[in-house]
C-alpha cells in the first residue's frame, strides 16, 4: 500500500475554478481499481494551497491512474490556476517525489 500527497500552490482567487476542474477527476479516481482513498483538502492557514491525499493498494495501480485519460484532462484544465505542484509517494520504507 502507498499514500500520495499532491500539493498544489494555486493563483490567488482561483480555488473555485480549481475545485470545479478537480471534481470530475476525484469522482473518477475513486472508482478506479486499487484506489482506497482520494480526497482534496484546502489549507486552513494558506488559501492558495490545496493538498490531494490518496491511498492506493500498490504503486502499479497508482501508475495506471497517472496514465489514465481523465488525469491528462485534469492536468490540462488546471494549468491556468497552478503555480507549482509537488507529488510525494509514500511507501512503507521510503518517499519518492515526482
Amino acid at each position: 500500500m502507498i499514500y500520495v500527497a499532491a500539493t498544489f500552490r494555486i493563483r490567488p482567487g482561483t480555488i473555485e475554478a480549481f475545485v470545479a476542474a478537480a471534481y470530475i477527476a476525484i469522482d473518477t479516481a475513486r472508482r478506479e481499481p486499487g484506489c482506497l482513498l482520494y480526497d482534496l483538502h484546502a489549507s486552513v492557514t494558506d488559501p492558495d494551497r490545496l493538498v490531494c491525499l490518496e491511498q492506493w493498494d500498490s504503486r502499479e495501480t497508482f501508475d495506471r491512474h497517472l496514465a489514465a485519460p481523465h488525469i491528462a484532462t485534469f492536468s490540462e484544465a488546471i494549468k491556468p490556476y497552478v503555480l507549482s505542484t509537488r507529488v510525494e509517494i509514500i511507501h512503507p520504507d521510503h518517499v519518492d517525489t515526482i
Side-chain angles (χ1 to χ4, degrees), residues 9 15 40-51:
R9 165 84 40 209
I15 190 168
L40 183 65
H41 301 272
S43 171
V44 297
T45 58
D46 183 347
D48 301 326
R49 187 177 68 207
L50 301 169
V51 178

Side-chain angles (χ1 to χ4, degrees), residues 6-59:
T7 303
F8 300 93
R9 165 84 40 209
I10 61 171
R11 295 183 191 286
T14 64
I15 190 168
E16 292 85 8
F18 184 100
V19 170
Y23 184 80
I24 294 170
I26 293 167
D27 184 55
T28 304
R30 286 177 173 166
R31 291 183 272 120
E32 288 181 62
C35 181
L36 306 172
L37 171 74
Y38 203 104
D39 210 353
L40 183 65
H41 301 272
S43 171
V44 297
T45 58
D46 183 347
D48 301 326
R49 187 177 68 207
L50 301 169
V51 178
C52 186
L53 296 176
E54 308 170 32
Q55 184 181 17
W56 295 88
D57 66 2
S58 70
R59 175 65 191 255

Side-chain angles (χ1 to χ4, degrees), residues 2 56 58-68 89 98:
I2 64 166
W56 295 88
S58 70
R59 175 65 191 255
E60 292 76 22
T61 55
F62 174 67
D63 288 342
R64 281 195 291 276
H65 161 72
L66 287 181
I89 305 164
I98 56 171

Side-chain angles (χ1 to χ4, degrees), residues 67-88:
H70 69 92
I71 294 303
T73 301
F74 168 66
S75 295
E76 192 63 32
I78 64 170
K79 274 185 182 179
Y81 317 122
V82 175
L83 298 173
S84 67
T85 304
R86 178 181 170 97
V87 179
E88 297 170 286

